[in-house]
Amino acid sequence: MANGQWFPPEWPERIRALAEGTLAPVAPKRAATVMLLKDTDGAPVVHMLRRRASMAFAGGAYAYPGGGVDPRDDDLTIGWAGPTRAWWARRLGVDETSAQAVVCAAVRETYEEAGVLLAGPTARTVVGDTTGDDWEADRAALVARDLSFAEFLDRRGLVLRSDLLGAWTRWITPEFESRRYDTWFFVAALPEGQRTRNASTEADRTVWIRPADAAASYDRGELLMMPPTIATLRQLIPYGSAADTLKAAPGRDLTPVLAEARLENGEIVLSWPGHDEFTKHIPTGGATA
C-alpha cells in the first residue's frame, strides 16, 4: 500500500456485478459528520477517531465523529437557533424537514461520539462543561435511542446552535457498496469550556492533529483513511484558524461526490470526480492496482 487509502476488499466483485447489471444499488441513508476544530499556536487541529480494528467496515481507519440520521431528528418541535430551516434547506439542497434532520444529526452525533455539544440555553450562549454522571446518563440514553435529541434539548432547556456549524462538502457512498450513506460534512469550532473525549464504542483512539500532519501520515501509509476523510483533510490545510475555516464554509460547493466505476480495456476503472488521487484500476481477474 503506497498510502493509507482503505477500501473494502469486496468492492471489485461488487463493481463487476454492478457493471453487469446483476447488482441493484441500495438507497443511501442520510448521515452527517463533523470536523471539529480548535486553534493552537501553530495551526488549527482537527479531532479524529480511529475505528476499532474489529469493526466490519473500515476497521482501523481514521474518521470524524458522525453517523446516520435518527428518524426522530425530523421532529419539528426541536429547540432551534441560528439560520432558519429554510436557509439550511437551500444550503444543503434538501427540503426543510430533511435539512433539520441532517443538522440535528451532526450536532447529536458529535455529542454522542465526542462529548461536545453545540447547543446552549439561549441563541447566543453555549453550554460549558458537559461531563458528569447526569450528562453521561443522557448521552447514553441518546446512543441507545431511548431519548430523542429533541427530548434531550427540552429536558435541558437548550436550543441547537445551528450557527456554530458550517456545511463543507457532501459525499455519497458508491452505488456498488452494500452500506450506503448520503453524508454531509460540517466544520465547527470546539466551544469554550468543553473538551473532547472518546465516547464512541466504535473507536479505540482519538487524536487532535493538524490536517497537514494527518495528510502526511496518510501519504506515508501510517494512517488509514477512506477517500472522503483524506480529501477533506487536504481541504482544511490552507486555513490558519478555526474561524477562517468556518468563514469559508458558506462558499463551499455542496455538489455530491459520487464514485464512478466503468469497464475500460479489460479492467474496471474506479474514480471519484474531482479527486484524481483516488482513481483505481482493477483488473477483471480481481487484483487491484
Side-chain angles (χ1 to χ4, degrees):
M1 180 185 299
N3 55 33
Q5 183 176 348
W6 182 93
F7 71 96
E10 68 270 16
W11 270 14
E13 180 180 349
R14 295 185 65 85
I15 289 170
R16 284 190 286 274
L18 182 67
E20 294 167 357
T22 59
L23 176 68
V26 299
K29 299 178 180 179
R30 300 171 297 173
T33 190
V34 176
M35 297 178 283
L36 196 61
L37 303 164
K38 71 175 180 179
D39 293 326
T40 64
D41 291 338
V45 289
V46 62
H47 180 70
M48 303 189 74
L49 53 84
R50 184 177 65 185
R51 293 173 59 83
R52 293 185 183 277
S54 59
M55 296 295 293
F57 184 78
Y62 280 76
Y64 313 111
V69 166
D70 179 342
R72 295 172 298 178
D73 290 337
D74 295 88
D75 191 340
L76 294 179
T77 63
I78 192 169
W80 189 272
T84 65
R85 295 169 179 80
W87 184 93
W88 277 108
R90 292 189 296 271
R91 179 70 183 116
L92 301 180
V94 296
D95 59 66
E96 290 188 30
T97 299
S98 294
Q100 175 180 280
V102 171
V103 172
C104 188
V107 176
R108 176 180 49 74
E109 288 285 341
T110 302
Y111 180 56
E112 289 182 9
E113 297 197 341
V116 171
L117 183 58
L118 304 177
T122 71
R124 295 182 179 274
T125 58
V126 187
V127 295
D129 187 5
T130 59
T131 60
D133 292 344
D134 58 336
W135 283 102
E136 178 56 25
D138 280 351
R139 192 197 65 79
L142 285 169
V143 172
R145 299 295 182 259
D146 293 333
L147 182 69
S148 74
F149 198 59
E151 292 168 336
F152 165 73
L153 293 177
D154 183 64
R155 174 187 295 182
R156 291 275 177 178
L158 302 173
V159 293
L160 181 153
R161 289 286 306 276
S162 75
D163 55 313
L164 299 181
L165 288 168
W168 192 258
T169 191
R170 179 182 179 185
W171 287 64
I172 300 178
T173 309
E175 292 183 334
F176 43 81
E177 176 55 67
S178 58
R179 294 172 291 264
R180 299 190 65 209
Y181 294 94
D182 185 351
T183 305
W184 284 263
F185 287 69
F186 295 86
V187 290
L190 179 68
E192 184 176 355
Q194 293 193 40
R195 60 182 186 270
T196 57
R197 59 192 178 89
N198 184 8
S200 174
T201 59
E202 298 180 354
D204 61 10
R205 184 190 183 204
T206 62
V207 296
W208 281 102
I209 188 170
R210 293 196 309 166
D213 291 342
S217 292
Y218 166 90
D219 290 336
R220 292 192 297 267
E222 297 169 356
L223 296 185
L224 297 178
M225 299 180 202
M226 295 194 72
T229 309
I230 181 59
T232 48
L233 277 172
R234 296 199 198 284
Q235 292 161 359
L236 295 176
I237 292 173
Y239 300 98
S241 69
D244 288 343
T245 310
L246 281 162
K247 185 177 180 180
R252 295 278 307 170
D253 182 9
L254 294 186
T255 301
V257 179
L258 175 64
E260 299 174 348
R262 65 184 186 277
L263 291 172
E264 186 176 287
N265 299 324
E267 65 180 6
I268 296 169
V269 180
L270 175 60
S271 62
W272 280 258
H275 300 273
D276 292 342
E277 72 167 297
F278 306 129
T279 300
K280 281 196 172 293
H281 296 260
I282 306 170
T284 54
T288 60

